[in-house]
Amino acid sequence: MKIIDLIQPAKKTLFSFELLPPLKGQNADKLYETIDELIEYKPKYINLTTHRDEIEYRTLDNGLLEKKIVRKRPGTVAIAAAIQYKYGIPVVPHVVCGGFTREETENMLIDLNFLGIENVLALRGDGLKSENFFVPENNGHSHANELVEQIVNLREGKYLDPELKNKTTMDFCVGVAGYPEKHAEASNPETDLLYLKQKVDAGADYIVTQMFFDNRKYYDFVERCRAIGITVPIIPGIKPLALMNQITILPKIFSIDIPEEFAAEVRKCKTNDEARQVGTEWAIYQAKDLIANKVPCLHIYTYGITDNTRQIAKIIL
Ligand code: FAD
């Protein structure tokens, strides 16, 4: 089932969550445990992240450094299909530009189509840690709008090779990312929004937001999107704070603000358990307000932690 067909007719706010594929070397048991703990709250779909290759330098016995290319979390396509079949819930694997050529992306989409996956979230991905900015692969995409275009072209059977014969069409429902507090690299909020509109105009069906801790930022973002003609559903992304140090780490990584009222409560905490409880209460406060304002779906960034997600999901049921 396509996410857009789940969201649009829904009379009440839906619940979805995001997971990471297992680290290389691990099996999928932990992932299934996470889903088992959340399934009773009737998630309508599950997102699964994709992680590009990374470069690591390892010190050899002779003291020299060895450069290694590692993919720490492989297997998104296979795990996405395994989850979808095990639980009968649509899975939305993320497709990223970074680290992938257009051909590799096309082949991934073909695999997903064979496996019965109908939804993807199209993203640019971040630059490598060793690079100051995003560098596309040779023959890869520079921005998510180009990726959306590639995916949407398949709805009309437009593959990369125009000489391909007997082409089948692939009709993926496509989500894209939006940033209520502006993407870190964007020159200003207005430009960022114009690029978001470009992704929607390329054929994206809906938007999922970066996490935010102040709902006013989301409402303002939706209003600004509507003002420039973005009409697709905008799903808010919520992250329950889980550790004390996230109060400073999250703003740095995601270029977001933590409201002082919330930060002050976290500063009073003496342990991570206390901070986690305060974080959960804040996420519940945000969720209640978003539901009251009839958002289409609440998308929870779980990072594999279920106790706080369960408490939030309870209020949606
Ligand atoms: P884009 O839409 O390409 O935007 C990136 C920047 O370029 C922005 O500043 C934008 O204003 C600008 N821009 C956009 N289009 C153009 C253009 N045509 N010309 C010039 N400038 C342009 N990362 C992963 O690696 N794996 C994941 O699984 C993953 N999942 C995510 C899920 C969600 C819901 C979100 C919000 C983010 C996720 N990310 C993931 C992180 C994401 O890849 C980064 O935030 C990345 O830096 C930007 O991705 P994007 O798709 O928004 O890029």
Side-chain angles (χ1 to χ4, degrees):
M1 180 120 191
K2 294 200 166 62
I3 303 313
I4 193 68
D5 296 331
L6 285 168
I7 294 170
Q8 269 172 343
K11 301 245 173 332
K12 55 184 267 228
T13 301
L14 308 178
F15 159 56
S16 65
F17 60 91
E18 183 165 311
L19 295 171
L20 278 63
L23 282 166
K24 192 172 208 164
Q26 294 180 358
N27 62 28
D29 290 353
K30 177 77 184 51
L31 206 66
Y32 293 144
E33 270 171 36
T34 304
I35 301 171
D36 288 340
E37 285 180 33
L38 295 173
I39 207 79
E40 65 180 290
Y41 302 103
K42 301 189 174 46
K44 284 290 176 292
Y45 60 94
I46 298 171
N47 276 54
L48 199 65
T49 56
T50 289
H51 302 261
R52 64 180 298 175
D53 286 345
E54 292 174 43
I55 296 176
E56 273 188 7
Y57 291 92
R58 295 188 187 162
T59 312
L60 300 173
D61 290 346
N62 61 10
L64 292 174
L65 286 180
E66 181 191 32
K67 180 179 174 181
K68 272 192 90 81
I69 297 188
V70 289
R71 172 130 355 137
K72 292 187 178 160
R73 293 181 186 273
T76 297
V77 170
I79 289 283
I83 297 171
Q84 185 161 295
Y85 284 98
K86 186 170 160 67
Y87 294 94
I89 300 175
V91 176
V92 187
H94 297 184
V95 181
V96 298
C97 307
F100 295 89
T101 64
R102 287 161 204 238
E103 276 74 20
E104 285 166 339
T105 298
E106 187 172 87
N107 292 339
M108 178 182 180
L109 294 165
I110 290 170
D111 285 346
L112 291 171
N113 186 52
F114 283 146
L115 289 162
I117 304 272
E118 293 179 279
N119 300 282
V120 290
L121 189 70
L123 300 145
R124 187 198 67 179
D126 287 320
L128 287 170
K129 288 193 185 91
S130 52
E131 293 167 348
N132 285 331
F133 47 85
F134 178 84
V135 180
E137 282 302 285
N138 278 334
N139 196 27
H141 296 298
S142 302
H143 287 289
N145 66 295
E146 299 167 13
L147 175 60
V148 173
E149 206 175 305
Q150 179 181 7
I151 302 168
V152 168
N153 276 343
L154 292 165
R155 290 178 186 165
E156 292 169 14
K158 275 196 216 155
Y159 288 70
L160 296 172
D161 178 0
E163 291 181 16
L164 213 62
K165 301 268 181 307
N166 301 322
K167 292 172 286 189
T168 186
T169 56
M170 289 194 259
D171 186 10
F172 288 102
C173 169
V174 184
V176 289
Y179 302 82
E181 297 176 67
K182 186 181 91 59
H183 183 260
E185 295 162 31
S187 330
N188 57 63
E190 291 75 25
T191 312
D192 203 25
L193 223 58
L194 289 176
Y195 286 129
L196 177 59
K197 183 160 188 310
Q198 202 174 17
K199 294 193 274 193
V200 175
D201 291 344
D205 297 286
Y206 67 96
I207 296 165
V208 190
T209 76
Q210 181 58 278
M211 65 183 74
F212 56 87
F213 290 90
D214 179 349
N215 287 0
R216 282 172 306 183
K217 306 253 164 132
Y218 167 81
Y219 298 131
D220 174 58
F221 175 68
V222 174
E223 212 175 295
R224 288 186 292 116
C225 284
R226 301 305 181 222
I228 63 158
I230 297 175
T231 55
V232 296
I234 303 176
I235 297 170
I238 298 291
K239 156 95 181 91
L241 189 103
L243 297 167
M244 274 193 286
N245 64 7
Q246 285 178 345
I247 207 84
T248 48
I249 290 173
L250 296 178
K252 187 162 175 244
I253 300 178
F254 298 109
S255 192
I256 52 169
D257 279 351
I258 307 269
E260 177 49 22
E261 191 189 345
F262 177 37
E265 287 308 308
V266 179
R267 281 199 302 269
K268 286 182 206 158
C269 297
K270 301 219 163 22
T271 63
N272 275 329
D273 283 348
E274 282 176 27
R276 191 192 194 84
Q277 194 45 42
V278 170
T280 306
E281 281 161 20
W282 187 265
I284 289 173
Y285 159 72
Q286 281 190 277
K288 282 185 175 163
D289 177 65
L290 290 164
I291 293 167
N293 282 283
K294 301 190 170 40
V295 297
C297 181
L298 275 185
H299 185 70
I300 315 290
Y301 294 105
T302 63
Y303 296 107
I305 302 169
T306 49
D307 57 337
N308 45 19
T309 306
R310 282 166 68 95
Q311 291 187 55
I312 303 161
K314 243 183 236 170
I315 66 159
I316 305 175
L317 255 189

